[in-house]
Amino acid sequence: MILLTRVDHRLLHGQVATSWVGTLGADCIFCVGDHVANDPVWKTTLKLGKPAGCKLVIKDMAHAIEAINSGVTDKYKMIICVQTIAEAKQLIDGCPQIKSLNLGNTKESSTTKTIARQVFLEPEEEEILRELGARGVEVEIRGLAEEPKVDALKLI
C-alpha cells in the first residue's frame, strides 16, 4: 500500500524518518530514481538515515515501476521518495494507481518560482504539475505530516 509519494531532493532525512514514518505508520521507505540507485555514496547515506524498524528499498525507475505494478510491494505500508518532479511524473505515468503527490523540498535556482517554503518550481515543472492535476492527481504541499495540506495547483 502506498501511503505517500513525495518529491524531496534530499530523499530520506529527519522529516521523512520521524514525522512521516511515525504519523503514517509506514514500514517501508522506497527511494526511487536512476541516479540514486546507481550512486553508492547516496545509497550508504540513505541507509544511515533509515529509521529502526522500517525497511529501505532503493531502485531505479524501471525496476521500481515493475515492482509496484507486480504487487510485490503491496505487503508494505510505503512512503515513496523521488528527488524531482520529473521523476514523480515518470513514476505516476508508469503506476497510474498513484493518485496523490506531496511536494516536500525542491531545489531553488535562478529560474525557479517560489510557491511555498522550500518548494521552488522551474517553468517545465509547473507544466508537469498542471498536467498531473488535469489527470486527477492530487498535488499537495506539506513539509511535515502534521501540517495541513495546501493545494499546490492553486499556487502556480
Side-chain angles (χ1 to χ4, degrees), residues 84-102:
T84 69
I85 290 168
E87 287 175 330
K89 181 185 183 305
Q90 194 178 356
L91 186 65
I92 292 168
D93 287 348
C95 301
Q97 64 270 46
I98 298 173
K99 300 291 186 197
S100 181
L101 180 63
N102 167 262

Side-chain angles (χ1 to χ4, degrees), residues 1-13:
M1 169 193 294
I2 298 168
L3 303 173
L4 179 75
T5 303
R6 179 177 171 91
V7 175
D8 193 320
H9 69 91
R10 302 168 298 173
L11 292 172
L12 172 56
H13 54 86

Side-chain angles (χ1 to χ4, degrees), residues 3 14 21 99-100 106 113 156:
L3 303 173
V21 168
K99 300 291 186 197
S100 181
T106 58
K113 171 181 164 184
I156 58 176

Side-chain angles (χ1 to χ4, degrees), residues 21-97:
V21 168
T23 301
L24 298 179
D27 59 12
C28 179
I29 298 170
F30 195 3
C31 293
V32 176
D34 295 342
H35 175 74
V36 69
N38 294 301
D39 185 330
V41 174
W42 249 117
K43 288 177 13 180
T44 299
T45 303
L46 292 172
K47 288 173 187 170
L48 293 172
K50 177 190 83 68
C54 194
K55 183 175 181 68
L56 174 66
V57 177
I58 303 167
K59 289 196 180 291
D60 64 48
M61 189 62 67
H63 287 101
I65 290 169
E66 181 182 322
I68 292 166
N69 289 331
S70 76
V72 73
T73 61
D74 291 353
K75 63 186 172 190
Y76 299 110
K77 293 181 274 185
M78 286 193 312
I79 294 173
I80 301 174
C81 297
V82 296
Q83 288 186 291
T84 69
I85 290 168
E87 287 175 330
K89 181 185 183 305
Q90 194 178 356
L91 186 65
I92 292 168
D93 287 348
C95 301
Q97 64 270 46

